Amino acid sequence: MKKFKTKKISIKIAALIGIVQIAAMALLFITSNLSIFACVVITVLMILTSTAIIGWQRNAVKGLRTIFENEHLLFSEILEAQTVGTLVTNSEDNEIILINKMAVHLYGLDSAKKNSLTMDDIKNKFSKEEREKITKVRELAKNSKEEIIYETYAIHDDGRKIHFLSHAKSAHLSNGETIIIFSFIDITPLKNLESSLVHLSETDSLTSISNRRGGEQKLRNLVSDGKQGMFCLFDANKFKYINDTFGHAAGDKVLIEIANCMKKAFRTSDILIRLGGDEFVAFTPDIKEQKTGKIVLDRFIKQIEEISIPELGNHKVSVSLGAVIINGTETFEQIYTKADSVMYDCKEKGGNVYKFYE
């Protein structure tokens, strides 16, 4: 914010009055019948009057300067005390006009360089996608009278992602300049809570893999997008017998151990789902041949064979598994039906058996 320049204003006023006085004295001397002495006396009185006026004007200007400086100081203190980040830029060249310390903090910038920051320093804190989003918001705000509300995030040097709820609005100054005012608050704790709640709602509480709600929807989306891979459907053999004979606590341990075997045998990028009861699904993207799929399934069956649960005594846990190589043209229901049919073929054989749908 520019300071009020008292000295320059006073000089301009004095110069203007002086010119007017000289012109008036010359005109008076030429057009009147007064003597030179009378003209000089009148001129001196005019000068004294003008001097008094200039003095009053200078005092008034000093008073205005004090008011402006106090308002500037008050505005600056209020701005810096805000818990809301504020950034003001020129609408034409996007230069920083004003930025408060909360904005510097939220962007993850060095507070010592606050007065020398450029828009490039701020842009570097955002991903390419977020920079494009902010550019679009800026253009919308520039050409609209409405406030634009949007969410974005900055990435700090330590890798932390800081989420913002942001507002952008244009303002037109009396000098014809248009500015864009950005204000934003940190909503990272809220976003983290939101992510945690989503994760909890999509995770099976017993096995810690995806539940039907979360996993099946992801899988349906991949299938509808034509994603290829290996779809596996399986369940625990004689699971009802285990629950009835050894108790539901032992049955829960069986489910937990099967899920642990899935985590060890499949990749972290694969989709692992407990559909419900003792029914599970595993989807391995980009496995397009049975030869490759067999390597994964042999590894999984080996893990199942190593399960040891004391409560089951000599009873060994086993699964029956049906596998389908997805070509990217079938629906989820068609794939599930195929896997289900070969899974029940395996059940007739007993033990840890898998089979591909031909």
Side-chain angles (χ1 to χ4, degrees):
M1 183 177 287
K2 294 181 180 179
K3 291 186 177 181
F4 203 76
K5 295 180 175 60
T6 309
K7 187 175 180 180
K8 287 186 177 180
I9 292 176
S10 299
I11 291 173
K12 288 179 180 179
I13 293 173
L16 180 62
I17 292 175
I19 292 170
V20 172
Q21 287 175 341
I22 293 172
M25 185 176 68
L27 183 63
L28 181 66
F29 180 75
I30 293 170
T31 59
S32 69
N33 294 322
L34 296 174
S35 65
I36 295 176
F37 176 76
C39 289
V40 170
V41 170
I42 293 172
T43 301
V44 170
L45 291 174
M46 289 175 63
I47 290 173
L48 292 174
T49 303
S50 298
T51 300
I53 292 172
I54 290 172
W56 175 83
Q57 288 174 332
R58 293 188 68 175
N59 289 333
V61 169
K62 285 181 180 179
L64 285 174
R65 177 182 179 180
T66 300
I67 292 171
F68 275 109
E69 287 181 345
N70 287 341
E71 287 185 348
H72 173 73
L73 179 61
L74 180 61
F75 172 76
S76 297
E77 290 297 325
I78 292 174
L79 185 68
E80 293 301 337
Q82 294 296 306
T83 56
V84 176
T86 302
L87 170 69
V88 181
T89 68
N90 186 292
S91 67
E92 298 302 322
D93 52 25
N94 202 29
E95 288 186 354
I96 296 175
I97 296 174
L98 180 151
I99 184 170
N100 71 348
K101 64 182 181 182
M102 179 53 70
V104 174
H105 170 70
L106 292 177
Y107 286 140
L109 296 166
D110 186 354
S111 59
K113 299 179 180 178
K114 176 177 176 288
N115 295 326
S116 60
L117 290 174
T118 66
M119 282 304 297
D120 286 336
D121 295 324
I122 295 174
K123 288 178 180 178
N124 289 336
K125 294 296 180 178
F126 293 87
S127 66
K128 180 182 177 182
E129 292 76 13
E130 293 304 303
R131 287 199 297 269
E132 290 173 352
K133 179 198 290 186
I134 294 170
T135 298
K136 290 178 182 178
V137 167
R138 185 173 172 275
E139 289 302 313
L140 284 172
K142 178 181 175 181
N143 299 308
S144 172
K145 295 180 180 179
E146 302 298 321
E147 186 175 50
I148 312 299
I149 302 174
Y150 63 102
E151 288 187 16
T152 185
Y153 64 87
I155 301 173
H156 286 196
D157 291 340
D158 58 7
R160 287 184 300 131
K161 188 182 287 188
I162 308 300
H163 293 267
F164 306 137
L165 176 62
S166 306
H167 298 245
K169 194 176 189 307
S170 63
H172 303 285
L173 306 184
S174 59
N175 62 359
E177 185 179 1
T178 299
I179 60 174
I180 309 295
I181 304 170
F182 296 91
S183 59
F184 43 96
I185 59 173
D186 183 1
I187 59 169
T188 305
L190 183 62
K191 297 298 287 187
N192 290 341
L193 176 60
E194 182 182 294
S195 296
S196 296
L197 292 175
V198 169
H199 177 73
L200 286 173
S201 70
E202 296 180 348
T203 301
D204 180 60
S205 59
L206 180 65
T207 62
S208 298
I209 62 175
S210 295
N211 60 18
R212 187 180 200 116
R213 177 183 179 276
E216 186 176 312
Q217 188 57 53
K218 291 177 186 176
L219 190 48
R220 285 181 178 274
N221 291 340
L222 289 174
V223 170
S224 64
D225 289 340
K227 187 68 175 178
Q228 295 181 318
M230 179 174 68
F231 178 93
C232 307
L233 175 67
F234 60 92
D235 63 16
N237 294 324
K238 299 181 179 180
F239 187 68
K240 185 177 184 305
Y241 168 80
I242 292 173
N243 274 334
D244 292 345
T245 305
F246 305 105
H248 288 277
D252 286 347
K253 287 186 178 182
V254 170
L255 299 177
I256 293 169
E257 287 301 321
I258 290 175
N260 289 338
C261 290
M262 294 174 72
K263 295 172 189 176
K264 293 173 183 176
F266 293 93
R267 302 168 298 186
T268 55
S269 58
D270 297 335
I271 297 176
L272 310 179
I273 311 168
R274 181 189 173 202
L275 289 180
D278 64 323
E279 191 174 42
F280 295 85
V281 163
F283 177 67
T284 56
D286 302 322
I287 290 184
K288 302 175 184 178
E289 298 178 353
Q290 289 187 16
K291 181 180 178 181
T292 308
K294 286 179 179 179
I295 296 173
V296 177
L297 295 182
D298 286 341
R299 185 168 63 231
F300 173 58
I301 294 298
K302 186 172 186 269
Q303 292 288 338
I304 294 291
E305 290 173 344
E306 293 176 358
I307 292 176
S308 177
I309 301 174
E311 290 88 341
L312 300 186
N314 294 325
H315 184 87
K316 298 296 292 182
V317 176
S318 64
V319 298
S320 297
L321 186 149
V324 180
I325 298 297
I326 301 174
N327 57 22
T329 61
E330 298 170 293
T331 66
F332 176 83
E333 285 73 18
Q334 290 172 325
I335 296 165
Y336 182 92
T337 301
K338 288 180 178 180
D340 188 56
S341 67
V342 290
M343 180 183 74
Y344 276 95
D345 289 343
C346 295
K347 278 194 173 296
E348 295 178 358
K349 299 178 181 179
N352 286 309
V353 182
Y354 67 82
K355 179 181 178 181
F356 282 91
Y357 183 90
E358 300 294 345

